Amino acid sequence: MDSAPTGLARSVAKGKGRKGSISPFRMTLIGLAGVIPVVIGAVLLFLVVYAWPAIRFNGIDFLLTKTWDLGNLYADPVPRHGVLAPIGATYGCLVFVAGTLASSFLALLVAVPISLGIAVFLAEGVKRVLRTPFAIVVELLAVVPSVVYGLWGIIVLVPIAAHIIAPVLAAVFPFIPFLAQAGGSGFGLLSSSLVLALMVIPVITITVFEALNRIPKEAKEAAYALGTTKFEMVFFTMLPMIRPAIIGAIILGLGRALGETMAVLMVSGGALNYMPTTLMSPISTMASFILSQLDSAEQDQSGLAVQSLAEIAIVLFVITVIVNIVARLMVRKGAGVSR
Amino acid sequence: MTEVAIAPSFNRAATKHRAVAGRKLRSSLGWAFCGICFLLVAAPLIDIILLVLVRGFSALSVDLLTQVTQGVSGGLLNAIEGTIVLSIGALIIGVPIGVGAGVYLSEFGDGRFGQTVRFLADVLTGVPSIVLGYFSYVTMVIWLGWQFSVLAASITLAIMILPYMAKMTELVLRQIPIPMREAAYALGAGDRKVVLRVLLPVALPGILTAVLLSLAISVGETAPLIYTAGWSNYLWDGKLVRSPIGYLTYVIWSFINQPFASAHALAFAAALLVMMTVLAINLAARAILRVRGG
């Protein structure tokens, strides 16, 4: 990113001269900065160590099994796959992976066009005076606590989903089974996706908006010189210029959606052993399931249920870390292009 | 659309005019779409704020602020106290580490280690809070035997605010001009003196803003606390470990699912307190940044 050294390192040429002698003050700073990598490493390490019996017990099937069954918790656990497990216990996270992917994907489907629209609107569409208050509206969306989104979801969004959106969709698309289920409580895939979309929109919008602002004036003027309208200039010149940043922003939003817990938990309906088949299906995401199942998993004396929850946490951790790394690299690349 | 630059059409074919009109129409439709997009998110935000304000204020009373929770009724004193305790605990642990890491990144962080830390700080902001909560549950609540406790919850929140503190501190410090450091060195100050006596005092308003935003994160967080703080109907007994504690966001989550009007009232009152705190902090922080940023 910054090839030229800045800060103290640049102003103090002597730093290069005295090798090996790092002051205690600097050691302290290195130690404090080192906390961040240590935490990330520790999260992965300790979760794997803790979940190890479950990882051995579940094997690779964990990712492909739909059933989550704690087994008979009243009988003594018996050894299976070298691990003491309750009789009949089966742990699989396919339902939760499916719920997570489905809700995140639908959320992005809604959020991406809206976010791009808002970013363009803020960057080029509104008068300069209005830009700041409008931008604050978007930024405030990002700071509303997740649990408040959930509260609003239960009170406002779920009834709308059940009584307005679902019947309308069923009437308009009776031939598409995925959309045609009119019944249902409203708690489920649709409500989860809409809440997620609302939470993801500020993430994408702000990133794209900042990238739009970095585009040099000359590029815009060149487009105008070709006789474009303002919108054509934005659509055919500005947006293609920041494509890597847009993709990065979308992946960043995906990362946010994948890991979201409270809001989804409150409006998802909490599916168990049940794959989502329609827009109104109840779902569970990995994050919401980890949270909602702790109490029941703790009833398992063998500890395998709680350890299997830890295994879900590992899966979620690995997915979100990969998604975030990809996103950051894309956003950085996008920033480099226009600089 | 005043900027539209169309070549003067002396005696061109009428089709040209139609094409231009079509382009203009499409552009207008495009702008209309962008405006509608904005309304689509502004409306829910306003609805959320109104819902919380109206239902929250109608539930708010003196008793609510002075009594502890009894089952699903009573007051919120224990939860208010718990949220304050946990947030302060998170700041006490997270701010020094975050500021130290930020100073390192800004002043010495151009090497490979600095780049790695900077990148991992970004990654850490993307780790789901529930995963961090589970990590704390496994390590502190179970292995260290702290059970649901203030310390486990505060450390978890501290981990969450750590990358934000580091990134924001770095940002603020990098805005301080290099000659300021050189002047201090010329006077014979060492690294430590330059950082503590020159850089940090200058950066103080920016760092305070970062602390405020971290406070907002702590106050609004829920998921990891359910795994680390538990819940308690009573006031905090002052113990750092082996003693669960209540907090406001738990009330919102858990009481809204109860079928009792008193539970709903508590949930909305808690939502009101959390929302007002978070919004006030964010608007204040923005105001500080704007005044300083010019």
Side-chain angles (χ1 to χ4, degrees):
Chain A
M1 221 163 43
D2 302 292
S3 52
T6 50
L8 291 181
R10 185 171 115 191
S11 60
V12 192
K14 70 180 177 185
K16 277 176 191 160
R18 36 162 217 199
K19 284 174 204 150
S21 70
I22 300 176
S23 67
F25 177 69
R26 204 147 147 188
M27 281 308 293
T28 315
L29 289 182
I30 292 176
L32 291 177
V35 170
I36 290 172
V38 166
V39 163
I40 291 190
V43 169
L44 188 60
L45 176 72
F46 286 124
L47 282 181
V48 168
V49 169
Y50 180 76
W52 190 247
I55 295 173
R56 264 177 66 196
F57 178 78
N58 296 322
I60 194 71
D61 284 351
F62 185 66
L63 297 173
L64 306 170
T65 308
K66 276 192 253 179
T67 319
W68 182 277
D69 185 348
L70 298 182
N72 185 349
L73 299 181
Y74 300 102
D76 286 333
V78 292
R80 234 189 321 157
H81 305 288
V83 181
L84 275 180
I87 297 166
T90 318
Y91 309 101
C93 71
L94 186 62
V95 170
F96 319 123
V97 173
T100 307
L101 294 182
S103 58
S104 299
F105 177 75
L106 279 177
L108 286 182
L109 210 60
V110 176
V112 169
I114 294 182
S115 303
L116 290 180
I118 301 171
V120 167
F121 186 63
L122 289 180
E124 299 293 329
V126 292
K127 290 211 176 74
R128 201 161 277 279
V129 197
L130 289 176
R131 190 187 281 178
T132 307
F134 280 21
I136 288 179
V137 168
V138 177
E139 284 169 16
L140 284 185
L141 270 180
V143 304
V144 173
S146 166
V147 67
V148 174
Y149 273 114
L151 180 73
W152 179 78
I154 291 178
I155 303 291
V156 178
L157 190 61
V158 165
I160 291 179
H163 302 307
I164 300 176
I165 302 179
V168 168
L169 281 178
V172 178
F173 303 103
F175 42 87
I176 305 176
F178 182 70
L179 301 175
Q181 189 194 352
S185 60
F187 290 90
L189 182 54
L190 179 64
S191 300
S192 310
S193 305
L194 290 180
V195 169
L196 279 179
L198 211 48
M199 304 180 75
V200 162
I201 282 172
V203 177
I204 303 179
T205 305
I206 292 168
T207 314
V208 173
F209 174 66
E210 282 170 358
L212 284 174
N213 280 338
R214 280 197 302 264
I215 291 179
K217 210 160 130 203
E218 290 76 11
K220 301 185 201 172
E221 285 166 353
Y224 281 139
L226 292 174
T228 63
T229 67
K230 190 169 188 185
F231 188 77
E232 285 168 339
M233 184 275 291
V234 172
F235 197 78
F236 294 113
T237 305
M238 292 180 78
L239 287 181
M241 281 182 78
I242 58 162
R243 186 174 298 151
I246 293 177
I247 297 172
I250 293 172
I251 304 175
L252 214 56
L254 176 66
R256 173 88 197 258
L258 290 173
E260 181 44 49
T261 313
M262 291 314 297
V264 176
L265 174 66
M266 292 165 83
V267 301
S268 68
L272 198 58
N273 305 335
Y274 180 85
M275 294 291 274
T277 51
T278 75
L279 209 48
M280 303 307 289
S281 298
I283 59 163
S284 279
T285 66
M286 290 187 272
S288 75
F289 187 75
I290 294 171
L291 190 60
S292 65
Q293 286 300 304
L294 181 64
D295 282 344
S296 36
E298 276 183 330
Q299 308 300 317
D300 182 356
Q301 294 297 319
S302 70
L304 208 56
V306 185
Q307 288 155 3
S308 295
L309 284 183
E311 199 177 346
I312 299 183
I314 296 171
V315 174
L316 182 60
F317 177 78
V318 171
I319 293 177
T320 48
V321 164
I322 291 174
V323 164
N324 270 287
I325 289 177
V326 172
R328 296 292 175 185
L329 292 177
M330 296 292 296
V331 172
R332 190 173 288 182
K333 194 174 146 208
V337 165
S338 56
R339 211 174 263 171
Chain B
M1 300 313 107
T2 48
E3 291 96 328
V4 183
I6 303 163
S9 55
F10 298 106
N11 277 325
R12 298 268 167 84
T15 49
K16 180 95 182 183
H17 284 288
R18 224 175 297 147
V20 170
R23 281 174 51 202
K24 275 183 157 178
L25 178 68
R26 247 174 288 153
S27 295
S28 306
L29 286 178
W31 285 118
F33 170 78
C34 293
I36 290 170
C37 285
F38 180 75
L39 292 181
L40 276 177
V41 300
L45 178 71
I46 293 168
D47 192 41
I48 290 172
I49 294 176
L50 280 182
L51 174 80
V52 169
L53 283 184
V54 171
R55 302 279 290 265
F57 268 118
S58 66
L60 216 53
S61 66
V62 178
D63 283 355
L64 202 97
L65 299 175
T66 53
Q67 291 182 359
V68 296
T69 316
Q70 287 146 0
V72 292
S73 55
L76 291 172
L77 187 59
N78 50 328
I80 295 171
E81 187 202 46
T83 292
I84 294 172
V85 169
L86 293 178
S87 302
I88 291 177
L91 292 183
I92 290 175
I93 301 166
V95 168
I97 302 178
V99 169
V103 169
Y104 178 81
L105 289 178
S106 156
E107 306 304 318
F108 311 103
D110 291 310
R112 177 156 296 180
F113 178 67
Q115 298 282 4
T116 312
V117 169
R118 196 172 291 122
F119 189 71
L120 288 179
D122 280 339
V123 171
L124 186 56
T125 57
V127 172
S129 60
I130 183 70
V131 173
L132 296 178
Y134 207 104
F135 161 73
S136 301
Y137 173 76
V138 168
T139 51
M140 296 174 234
V141 175
I142 296 181
W143 281 343
L144 292 178
W146 291 355
Q147 299 167 9
F148 290 143
S149 58
V150 172
L151 197 55
S154 296
I155 291 177
T156 312
L157 289 177
I159 292 175
M160 293 195 59
I161 64 175
L162 175 59
Y164 291 100
M165 283 305 306
K167 296 288 289 186
M168 287 191 275
T169 305
E170 183 193 359
L171 209 67
V172 176
L173 286 177
R174 276 184 188 271
Q175 283 167 356
I176 300 176
I178 296 284
M180 211 142 171
R181 299 172 173 87
E182 288 169 345
Y185 278 118
L187 291 173
D191 285 350
R192 193 168 63 89
K193 267 216 169 108
V194 173
V195 169
L196 295 181
R197 294 283 180 79
V198 178
L199 296 182
L200 287 184
V202 173
L204 194 62
I207 293 174
L208 280 181
T209 314
V211 172
L212 279 179
L213 291 175
S214 302
L215 179 65
I217 294 174
S218 310
V219 170
E221 197 50 64
T222 320
L225 296 182
I226 292 172
Y227 262 77
T228 51
W231 165 255
S232 163
N233 276 333
Y234 306 104
L235 289 175
W236 184 42
D237 55 11
K239 285 199 279 187
L240 285 178
V241 294
R242 294 169 193 277
S243 166
I245 187 166
Y247 47 95
L248 284 168
T249 44
Y250 178 92
V251 176
I252 307 175
W253 168 62
S254 133
F255 285 17
I256 198 64
N257 287 318
Q258 305 283 345
F260 308 108
S262 66
H264 285 198
L266 282 185
F268 276 107
L272 175 70
L273 296 176
V274 170
M275 271 292 270
M276 289 213 309
T277 311
V278 169
L279 289 184
I281 289 175
N282 271 282
L283 291 176
R286 244 157 268 275
I288 296 175
L289 281 183
R290 201 146 287 139
V291 168
R292 286 180 46 77

